[in-house]
Amino acid sequence: EVKMMSAVEFRSLLQTLRQLSIRLEACFNRAAALHGLTAAQAQVLAYVLEHSEQGVCATEIYRVLGLSKPSISALVKKLKGKGYVYTKNAENDDRQKLIFATPQGQVLGKSIGQTLAQLQTKICSGLKTEELRALQSVQHKMLLNVS
């Protein structure tokens, strides 16, 4: 049996989640701006860096990050223009382009990683590892429920 919270408690939860989301987005944008990027560009670059050896296709980024395909295309184009990523055709499919980080993108990625570590320290201050893991689990379950 699922024990439900009151309507007032639920509205308060939704409002808190919304405020947290807005504030986190602002923090991420400020952190990315220190490196001349938007938060979305930094997210795409980080994902590309995680898969830089084998490359990553735009469709995979779209599926993982939940941004629209045109948005991913525009973000990759911006990152290419700034010299942080490059594309090349996949070996087994000339229609598919794989995205790789340039050396300049790798350097920037390390710098962004340091900035994000500082941001994580600030945001997670006073929270225990178990609390963060529980939060992640609860958020994941809620996300699955609204999909």
Side-chain angles (χ1 to χ4, degrees), residues 20-81:
L20 181 60
S21 177
I22 290 168
R23 289 180 189 181
L24 287 173
E25 187 72 24
C27 283
F28 291 146
N29 270 313
R30 283 193 302 273
L34 295 173
H35 305 281
L37 300 177
T38 65
Q41 289 170 347
Q43 267 189 302
V44 170
L45 180 59
Y47 192 79
V48 169
L49 286 165
E50 289 170 11
H51 302 85
S52 63
E53 286 194 26
Q54 70 272 20
V56 63
C57 66
T59 304
E60 184 179 337
I61 298 172
Y62 151 77
R63 279 196 316 264
V64 172
L65 297 184
L67 301 170
S68 71
K69 289 180 183 180
S71 292
I72 296 297
S73 179
L75 291 166
V76 169
K77 188 175 181 179
K78 289 266 188 188
L79 291 169
K80 269 180 87 170

Side-chain angles (χ1 to χ4, degrees), residues 27-138:
C27 283
F28 291 146
N29 270 313
R30 283 193 302 273
L34 295 173
H35 305 281
L37 300 177
T38 65
Q41 289 170 347
Q43 267 189 302
V44 170
L45 180 59
Y47 192 79
V48 169
L49 286 165
E50 289 170 11
H51 302 85
S52 63
E53 286 194 26
Q54 70 272 20
V56 63
C57 66
T59 304
E60 184 179 337
I61 298 172
Y62 151 77
R63 279 196 316 264
V64 172
L65 297 184
L67 301 170
S68 71
K69 289 180 183 180
S71 292
I72 296 297
S73 179
L75 291 166
V76 169
K77 188 175 181 179
K78 289 266 188 188
L79 291 169
K80 269 180 87 170
K82 293 179 179 195
Y84 299 135
V85 300
Y86 68 95
T87 58
K88 72 177 189 180
N89 290 341
E91 289 181 18
N92 56 349
D93 185 352
D94 286 341
R95 295 170 298 163
Q96 185 181 52
K97 290 195 182 291
L98 294 177
I99 305 160
F100 297 87
T102 64
Q104 185 181 356
Q106 292 170 357
V107 169
L108 180 64
K110 288 179 184 171
S111 183
I112 290 172
Q114 292 169 345
T115 300
L116 288 178
Q118 293 167 352
L119 187 59
Q120 178 183 352
T121 299
K122 177 183 175 187
I123 291 170
C124 299
S125 176
L127 298 174
K128 297 177 183 165
T129 303
E130 311 86 66
E131 291 173 315
L132 291 170
R133 287 195 178 117
L135 174 63
Q136 184 178 23
S137 174
V138 167

